[in-house]
Amino acid sequence: MNRLFYLFTLPWVAGFAGFTAFPLGYAFWLSLTNTDALAPESRFVGAANYAEVLDDGLAGEALVRTLVFTAVTVPASVAGGLLFAVLLQLPVRGRSLYRAVLFLPAVVPPVAGALTFGALFDRDTGAVNVLLERFGVAGPGWTDGPRLPFVIGVLVLWGLGNLMMVSLAALADVPRDLFDAARVDGAGPLRTFTSVTLPLVSPVLLFQVVTGVIAGLQTYLPALVLGSAGAGGSLAALPEGGYFFMAHVYTRYAVAGRFGYASALLWALFVVTLLCAALMLRTTRRHVFTLTSPGGARP
Amino acid sequence: MTHLLLFLSCALFLAPLLFLALGALESPAEQASPNLLPERPVWGNFVRAFTDADFSERLPTSLLLAGVYAALTTASSACAGYGLARFRAPGSRLVLVLLALTMMIPGVITLLPTYLLFAKLGLVGTYWPWVLWGLGGNSYIVLLFRQFFVSIPREQEESALLDGCGHLRVFWRVVLPQSRPALAASAVLTFAWAWGDWTAPLLLLDADTTTLAVALTTAYAHEPGHTADNLLAAGSLLYTLPVLALFLVAQRYLTAGAYAVRTG
């Protein structure tokens, strides 16, 4: 029996060793050296790279921008997903069509989504500015400056269909008789939502928030696609608003070739991510309601 | 009231795609002007978008990489999920913990050092990384399969074992045929990931070997800093449609678990 467990899980374990554990360890080793794409020799420099990370004003700014972006977009999209799920639970006509349409953008590949929003928010020809013009407002440049995070935030909200689907499934799992009991006890729709629905779906919401924050902290793709379009296709000249933490790491890695220093930045982000996840799981322990044993329906 | 809210939201959610479709039909003169409706739709844009981004080369590449990655990831993740659902051994708890931990690690953190690893192995510029990534499976998909296997009854497997079938045969002949929904969900999701992936092909492949996702972001910049927006829109649509069709076809297999997986 033991043998069988190892046999079946061997591919994943090998993949974990090769593509998760090794890269992380390798990055940590690199972060202690001054490895550079241009310099032939690298040597051990101890914690010097980490000291530079703490001193790196760009990294600090990028981290704050990323944290603020995550703190705004994650709750907004989880709440939005839940709102649509609750509305689609009601017996409205055509709700399967509504559900399909709201889910559709979540399927659009990230690059295509970013390019679409690039066109939509274009300064001269984008629909947003054309409409603003009709109301007599001169639309600003959206993607070439500090407003870029706003565009990316809207892009993230556009794709909340996944979250809606998960919340819909969670709502479908709530036992019907609890709603009936709440009605018999005289609870209105709002009271039923806050006292019955919300506690029962809270584990799923927590899961969405945690995975959302992990994904949010590594936001870079729309920033690179939208930002570099504005900067004539050059990653080295990302507009200020596109400077998310991971975009900073990416430019250090791929553009500057400073593998050692960029690895230290990677590890810094890794630690920040783990701290955020641990903090969220810790602080919500008392507020998240679990009906079944943990390890039940939640992965 | 509910209807109005849902209707307006749907209109808002569809608007970007509608704008993309209209933009794809604009003439070169119109694409630089602030009008929304093209006077006369230029269907030829789709042909030009196809040739300019070298779809005849890039499309097979994207199909190949996404197909290989999806098939291998599904196979290896199903194996691991089955191992976790049915067998206990020293270390099986550790494997579960590592799975959960892997989900906490932003994928791009490991991608950059993995790129250096592939560079050392001489695999940059080849399609082998996708084969290796596929063989290694994916934590989300492993958990998807584990949840699925835990939920199906064991009787058939046990009677097949009593009949003298080996465990591998039981997995292949008895378990997998019952697992169509999980297999389909896994195949669709992993295909869509690889299809949508931009960073890995950008890092690992060059202009002659890369995927559609990368070609799309570079092909229509005819002069530096100036992009043919109508062709870009047409190309984006052509690139998006296959995944839309795939999700539409596979919709009934995508259960809540599958959606939960995609949020990561």
Side-chain angles (χ1 to χ4, degrees), chain A residues 202 206 209-210 277-289:
Chain A
S202 58
L206 175 65
V209 169
V210 173
L279 188 74
M280 283 183 290
L281 293 174
R282 253 237 129 78
T283 52
T284 53
R285 193 180 278 167
R286 280 157 201 277
H287 305 287
V288 168
F289 183 86

Side-chain angles (χ1 to χ4, degrees), chain A residues 4 6 26 98 106-107 158 169 220, chain B residues 3 13 90 120 199 247 256 262:
Chain A
L4 283 166
Y6 298 127
Y26 187 45
Y98 285 138
V107 185
W158 190 52
Y220 68 98
Chain B
H3 254 299
F13 272 60
K120 282 229 159 76
T199 325
F247 271 89
R262 248 187 77 87

